[in-house]
Amino acid sequence: MKNNLHRIKSVRAERNMVYMIDQVLLPWEFKICKTERYLETCKAIKTMIVRGAGTIGATAGFAMWQAVYEAPEKNYIDFLNKAKIEIEATRPTARDLFVAVNRVYERALISRNEAEEEAHKIADENAEAGKKIGEFGNNLIKDGDRILTHCNAGHLALVDYGSALAPVYKAHSEGKNIFVYVDETRPRSQGAKLTAWELNNAGVPHAIIPDNAAAWYMSLGKIDIFITGADRIAANGDTANKIGTLGKAIAARHYKIPFYVAAPLSTFDFDIKTGKDIQIEERSQDEVLYQTGPDKKGTIRKIRVASHGSPSCNPAFDVTPKKFIKGFITEEGIKKI
Ligand code: MRU
């Protein structure tokens, strides 16, 4: 399959309307979800209609702008303060969310117009950073490389281009013969549903592997490089990313496979010294206990895939210590920290 569906920006806004690719419906249905009010946009972030640190950030910036648009003249500041708290509570781990909300909030104190401009600037910067990450990261990928990636850090996870997948797209477009092993990424299956959908659309050779197969493939010498995105990077380089990254980073170190984290500079949090200070989001037990997918008629169904009566734990992210990370692919080049 080769089409450009995945190249439509994951989020954009016109006046007070926010348009998002509905990532909950993918890969079965391609639909744009639109929201008019900031609380609807908060819900879209929380329920993962949009997800991925860069897209979450840009969407949160637009949500803050919607709040500015909605704020009554009389209680302007009170309204904004309340909205800021509500938007920030949607997803606590992604650094980009807090950066974006703050940037728009600060401008809203000057004027509504400035707030709107800032929200668009944040989204544009995120897309541009993805493009540059692709160019720098491409230099790390050799012809013939077999690449492992976890979760979805592609076009959908940034406003455009992606972080971990941006170098993959660039390498593929240059004619390098590459192959991508896609971790399925339980429980929300961002790899199996979103990364695989993106790579299919772009015509990049790949295969979905169960999460617990990555170390085995490394041991067989089938993986040359491991690249993921990030949700928050502490000052010392410790990196929060989708749950499951840590185990693979440890295995990669054991098998001497270079592990790179691709992220825009907006994901670095220099206010946090180490990964111990990163707040890890705990999500609903249902995400582990149930899976969704279409039945034979195409109706999306939710089915239980675990023993009845058992609870689950569902940390959305883990933190990989810096010592396991060879470098950070940013819009300003490869950084070591
Ligand atoms: O819970 P999600 O789907 O928002 O988590 C996304 C990830 O962990 C991505 O790998 C991460 O955001 C890096 S790509 C911007």
Side-chain angles (χ1 to χ4, degrees), residues 68 79 86 100 141 167 182 189 195 208 210-211 236-237 253 261 270 283 299-300 314 321 326:
V68 173
F79 191 94
E86 283 165 327
I141 297 176
V182 179
S189 305
T195 301
I208 300 163
D211 279 324
N236 72 341
R253 160 63 65 90
V261 169
F270 295 108
R283 290 186 63 86
T299 309
I300 306 291
N314 186 15
K326 177 137 194 202

Side-chain angles (χ1 to χ4, degrees), residues 114-163:
E114 292 220 12
E116 182 178 14
E117 267 173 37
E118 191 69 7
H120 285 279
K121 197 165 163 232
I122 290 164
D124 292 346
E125 283 174 8
N126 188 257
E128 192 52 32
K131 187 173 183 200
K132 292 204 176 114
I133 286 170
E135 283 158 13
F136 286 115
N138 175 36
N139 297 327
L140 301 170
I141 297 176
K142 297 183 293 303
D143 191 32
D145 267 358
R146 290 136 323 155
I147 302 150
L148 172 70
T149 192
H150 187 66
C151 195
N152 173 266
H155 295 285
L156 295 164
L158 265 72
V159 174
D160 202 354
Y161 297 99
S163 51

Side-chain angles (χ1 to χ4, degrees), residues 302-322:
K302 183 173 167 183
I303 55 160
R304 188 164 176 114
V305 290
S307 166
H308 283 283
S310 296
S312 80
C313 303
N314 186 15
F317 303 98
D318 56 26
V319 177
T320 300
K322 160 66 183 72

